[in-house]
Amino acid sequence: MEKVIRVVIVDDSAYVRKVVKEMLSRSPFLEVVGTARDGEDALAVVERLQPDVVTCDLIMPGTDGVEFIQRQMARRPVPIVVVSIASESSERVLNALDAGAVDFVQKPTALATEKMLDIAEQLIATVKAAAGANVARPQPPPTVAAAPRRDGFLNRHDVLVIGVSTGGPQGLKAVIPRLPADFPAPVAIVLHMPVGYTEAYAKRLDETSSLTVVEAKEGDEVRPGMVFVAPAGRHLTFRRDASGTVRTRLDVSPFDTPHKPSVDVLFQSAAETYGERVLGVVMTGMGDDGLAGSAWIKAKCGSVLTEAEETCIVYGMPRSVVEAGLSDESVPLHRLAEVIAERI
C-alpha cells in the first residue's frame, strides 16, 4: 500500500489554509497534520511535526515564503511546494526555487473564493510527486564564469533540444551557463511552468550565460548562440521558411497533450526538421513527457541523453526514456554540459 504523506500548509489566509486542506484531504494518501500562518510559525510547526511535504504561500507578513524556504532548507531539507499567484510574485517564485523549493502550483485567484478549488487535482499530484523528491541542501547560486571556448566540436548535431519539469529551473542553471560561447548549435527548451514565469526565468538565465537566452517568439531565426525557452501555454516547434532558414513557431493547437508546452511536441518537430542531427536531453521531472519525443529522435537516428537518477529532483521523465531503451547515456547534472559539448 502507498504510504500516507504527511503535509503542513503555510498561508497567511485562514480561508486558503482551509481550502487547501479540503483539497488535499480528497486523497486517501495525503494527511494534513498541521498549518502555519507565516514563515516564523512554519519553522516551528515543521520542526515539531516533521512532515513529508510543506505547501507554502510566498506573500506573507513578517517572515515571507522565500525567507522561510531559505531557513528551512538550511535547517533540515524538506520538499516544499509553492502555492502562489503569478501576477504578484513571479520574481518571488524564482527566488523560492533558487532557495530549494521543489515545485509550484499557481493559484487561480488572489481572492478568497471557491475558484481555489480548481487546482485540486494538480495540487494533489504535485504534493504526491514532491514527497518522493530528492531534496538536498541548496548551495548559494555560484557565480558562473563564462564557459571556456573549445578547440573543436564533433559537429554531429545541428540543434540541442531539452525537456525538463520538476526541478528544472535549478537544473538548467547548472547546464546552460556552462555551455561555451562558441557552442555550435542553437538550443530550444521546454520547461513546464505556468503562464507568467517563463519570460522572467529566461531573463534570469541569460544573466549568467555566455549564450543569449530568450523566451521564444513567433518567427525567431534558430541559429547558434541562441537559447529559446518555450513560452508557457504555447507549444514550441520549428519550420523552414522559403529560403531554408529554420524559424520558431508557436502553436496553441491542435496538439492534444497534458502539457503546454510539451517536450514531446518540441522533440518531434526537431526530429522532423533536422533528422539525424538532433541531440535531445531529458532532465528531471515527473511523468513521461519526452518519452514519445525521444522515440521520434531515435527513429530519425538522432541522439538522446538523460539526467542520471542520483541528481534528479524527480526521476520520472528520464526514467521513462531509459526504461524504453531510448537513452544513449545517463549523465549526472554536474557533468551534463560537458557531455553535451563533447557530443554536439
Side-chain angles (χ1 to χ4, degrees):
M1 291 181 63
E2 278 191 62
K3 172 191 170 186
V4 174
I5 298 163
R6 303 171 70 253
V7 185
V8 162
I9 299 165
V10 184
D11 199 294
D12 63 319
S13 165
Y15 178 80
V16 171
R17 294 196 299 270
K18 175 186 173 184
V19 172
V20 171
K21 181 176 181 178
E22 178 184 328
M23 288 189 286
L24 295 180
S25 298
R26 294 180 183 181
S27 170
F29 304 109
L30 300 178
E31 179 188 4
V32 176
V33 296
T35 62
R37 64 185 180 276
D38 58 38
E40 203 65 46
D41 187 22
L43 289 168
V45 171
V46 171
E47 180 67 25
R48 177 167 52 86
L49 297 177
Q50 305 280 300
D52 300 308
V53 179
V54 175
T55 71
C56 180
D57 188 19
L58 294 181
I59 304 172
M60 298 182 290
T63 301
D64 69 4
V66 174
E67 184 181 349
F68 159 68
I69 294 167
Q70 291 168 337
R71 291 169 63 183
Q72 181 59 52
M73 297 305 282
R75 284 184 177 191
R76 181 181 74 88
V78 60
I80 299 173
V81 174
V82 170
V83 182
S84 193
I85 184 157
S87 61
E88 295 182 8
S89 56
S90 59
E91 285 298 323
R92 279 191 175 97
V93 168
L94 297 180
N95 290 337
L97 293 170
D98 283 343
V102 168
D103 208 343
F104 68 96
V105 174
Q106 183 174 333
K107 286 181 180 177
T109 176
L111 304 175
T113 71
E114 290 190 358
K115 192 168 176 60
M116 280 290 297
L117 295 168
D118 292 351
I119 64 171
E121 187 175 332
Q122 180 190 4
L123 183 60
I124 288 170
T126 303
V127 169
K128 290 176 72 174
N134 176 25
V135 291
R137 250 177 239 278
Q139 301 299 316
T143 301
V144 181
R149 293 179 180 270
R150 288 175 57 90
D151 294 332
F153 295 92
L154 295 177
N155 291 314
R156 292 189 299 191
H157 303 95
D158 290 335
V159 69
L160 169 65
V161 287
I162 299 174
V164 63
S165 185
T166 312
Q170 305 95 314
L172 288 170
K173 288 186 173 183
V175 176
I176 301 303
R178 291 188 168 93
L179 296 178
D182 58 345
F183 190 73
V187 183
I189 299 169
V190 160
L191 167 64
H192 294 159
M193 273 189 164
V195 174
Y197 295 89
T198 43
E199 182 179 11
Y201 179 75
K203 288 178 179 177
R204 187 172 288 200
L205 192 59
D206 180 65
E207 292 171 359
T208 59
S209 303
S210 300
L211 304 174
T212 300
V213 184
V214 297
E215 184 184 56
K217 294 180 173 56
E218 180 71 29
D220 287 335
E221 180 182 350
V222 181
R223 55 183 172 78
M226 298 298 298
V227 179
F228 299 99
V229 178
R234 305 186 76 181
H235 293 301
L236 174 60
T237 58
F238 303 109
R239 63 177 176 85
R240 289 190 186 274
D241 64 18
S243 69
T245 300
V246 178
R247 297 190 179 277
T248 56
R249 182 174 180 177
L250 303 180
D251 293 303
V252 178
S253 58
F255 305 102
D256 182 20
T257 61
H259 299 287
K260 193 176 290 184
S262 161
V263 180
D264 286 332
V265 170
L266 172 65
F267 279 22
Q268 178 180 339
S269 179
E272 291 174 335
T273 305
Y274 291 94
E276 65 183 10
R277 298 186 65 82
V278 178
L279 176 59
V281 179
V282 179
M283 295 174 62
T284 177
M286 63 179 177
D288 64 358
D289 193 17
L291 172 58
S294 294
W296 271 92
I297 292 174
K298 296 300 292 182
K300 296 286 188 177
C301 300
S303 304
V304 175
L305 302 176
T306 47
E307 183 179 347
E309 181 174 7
E310 64 262 30
T311 60
C312 284
I313 297 294
V314 177
Y315 188 58
M317 288 163 48
R319 181 197 295 276
S320 70
V321 175
V322 169
E323 291 182 349
L326 299 171
S327 175
D328 293 297
E329 184 179 356
S330 287
V331 185
L333 182 61
H334 59 274
R335 291 198 60 240
L336 202 46
E338 175 188 351
V339 174
I340 287 169
E342 289 171 355
R343 283 179 170 266
I344 200 70

